[in-house]
Amino acid sequence: MEYLINKYLEELRIRKLSKNTLDAYERDINKFFDFLKEREEEPNSIDDLSIMAYVQDLRKGGKANSSIVRNIVSLRNFYKYLLRRGLIYDNPIAIYEIPKIDRNLPEILTYEEVNELLKMPDINTNKGIRDKAMLEIMYAAGLKVTELLNLKVYQINLKFSYIKCIGSKDKERIIPIGKFACRCIEDYYKIRNSINFNQSDLLFLNLQGIKMSRQGFWKIIKEYAKEAQIGKLINTFTLRHSCAVHMLENGADIKLIQELLGHNATAATQVYLSMYKKNKLSEVYKNTHPRA
């Protein structure tokens, strides 16, 4: 089975899925087969009761519905692969009903909270100068954390104020950035050589001169949010979400937001309209209701 999993992952790599997606598929599939081993079940003889037992096991382990759904989708696609290759004659997961996900709107920051967060890095230190540039460019361009950490120096054009971002499936998009972000990158360039011990093309590096990890960036943004006393649940997507909603509030078209964020379908961008309307309703209520 290990051989088949590896062949399947090779096929996914050819389709240029992101490393995070590939890692998730591999974890999900291996976890399921470890579960089957404990139950002494063969992978090619499972039925819907096996899937139900596995889902129950995930729930007992404290997995959220979103995580369970991802596991099922990973297994369903793997079994589709086995079916295509004629290794099984039925996909037992195809008819399993996927649990519904409660989609809560993500938290966003106000303009004031964004300003407070971006003021936190100490620009008298190399780390602070770097962190300031990272936060400013993430908010300016609405980048995902992986896109930010994969930026190369030659993808930045300060003369014309834009960056060339390579998103999922190597899809390229040109994103304009504002004067604040440009100024911070210029300041960062002055100290970048002092931490670029390995002559890397990556724009942002950790203080050891190598590529920063997602966890490393998460610690940075979490630390500054705490210092800024922002009482909201903040994650690595918060500045991206805030960028999109703030642009909508200032009149940007939803199609342009979709292009900026690199969404393939408008549906993925519609959540920001819901957030905008929710914020607008709250603002109108506070300004008009006599008991607000």
Side-chain angles (χ1 to χ4, degrees), residues 4-109:
L4 291 173
I5 294 172
N6 288 333
K7 293 297 288 182
Y8 175 59
L9 293 173
E10 281 179 25
E11 185 177 292
L12 295 183
R13 286 188 190 96
I14 293 171
R15 287 161 49 188
K16 296 185 177 179
L17 270 64
S18 71
K19 184 180 184 302
N20 289 332
T21 302
L22 289 169
D23 289 346
Y25 267 105
E26 186 172 10
R27 280 195 308 272
D28 294 344
I29 295 168
N30 283 326
K31 185 178 180 67
F32 178 64
F33 288 129
D34 287 342
F35 173 79
L36 293 182
K37 279 182 186 176
E38 290 179 7
R39 289 168 57 91
E40 298 182 351
E41 287 189 62
E42 292 298 323
N44 60 351
S45 63
I46 64 168
D47 55 21
D48 55 346
L49 292 178
S50 307
I51 308 303
M52 289 172 66
Y54 181 58
V55 168
Q56 189 62 29
D57 186 68
L58 292 174
R59 287 202 174 108
K60 284 182 181 177
K63 296 295 183 183
N65 262 10
S66 56
S67 179
I68 293 172
V69 167
R70 194 202 65 223
N71 271 266
I72 295 172
V73 170
S74 297
L75 295 173
R76 180 178 288 175
N77 289 336
F78 179 61
Y79 271 84
K80 281 182 183 177
Y81 167 78
L82 297 179
L83 195 62
R84 287 199 309 272
R85 293 197 57 176
L87 299 170
I88 58 173
Y89 301 101
D90 184 31
N91 183 351
I93 310 175
I95 59 172
Y96 186 82
E97 187 174 348
I98 295 178
K100 292 183 179 178
I101 302 177
D102 295 327
R103 297 192 179 277
N104 297 322
L105 293 178
E107 197 103 58
I108 65 161
L109 304 180

Side-chain angles (χ1 to χ4, degrees), residues 6 43 59 65 102 118 148 191 204 226 238 259 263 286:
N6 288 333
R59 287 202 174 108
N65 262 10
D102 295 327
L118 298 182
L148 177 75
I191 63 95
F204 295 113
K226 184 178 180 181
T238 301
E259 186 177 343
H263 289 159
K286 286 177 183 177

Side-chain angles (χ1 to χ4, degrees), residues 178-239:
K179 59 184 178 182
F180 291 105
C182 287
R183 194 180 303 140
C184 289
I185 295 172
E186 287 174 349
D187 292 339
Y188 171 62
Y189 277 158
K190 295 173 185 175
I191 63 95
R192 183 175 171 276
N193 285 340
S194 65
I195 61 173
N196 188 16
F197 311 120
N198 301 308
Q199 303 301 307
S200 173
D201 285 336
L202 287 168
L203 178 62
F204 295 113
L205 305 160
N206 65 20
L207 296 180
Q208 285 71 51
I210 59 177
K211 183 177 179 180
M212 184 181 293
S213 67
R214 290 168 57 92
Q215 185 180 14
F217 181 76
W218 159 234
K219 288 180 180 178
I220 288 171
I221 200 166
K222 185 179 179 182
E223 173 193 336
Y224 290 133
K226 184 178 180 181
E227 288 179 17
Q229 297 182 340
I230 296 173
K232 291 180 178 177
L233 185 64
I234 289 186
N235 57 39
T236 53
F237 286 92
T238 301
L239 285 176

Side-chain angles (χ1 to χ4, degrees), residues 154-170:
Y154 52 79
Q155 292 173 290
I156 312 298
N157 190 317
L158 295 180
K159 181 179 179 180
F160 296 104
S161 302
Y162 72 82
I163 64 173
K164 186 184 293 184
C165 176
I166 309 299
S168 59
K169 298 184 180 180
D170 291 334

Side-chain angles (χ1 to χ4, degrees), residues 123-135:
I123 56 174
N124 293 311
T125 66
N126 287 354
K127 178 182 183 301
I129 292 171
R130 179 207 62 189
D131 294 352
K132 172 81 169 170
M134 293 180 80
L135 296 176

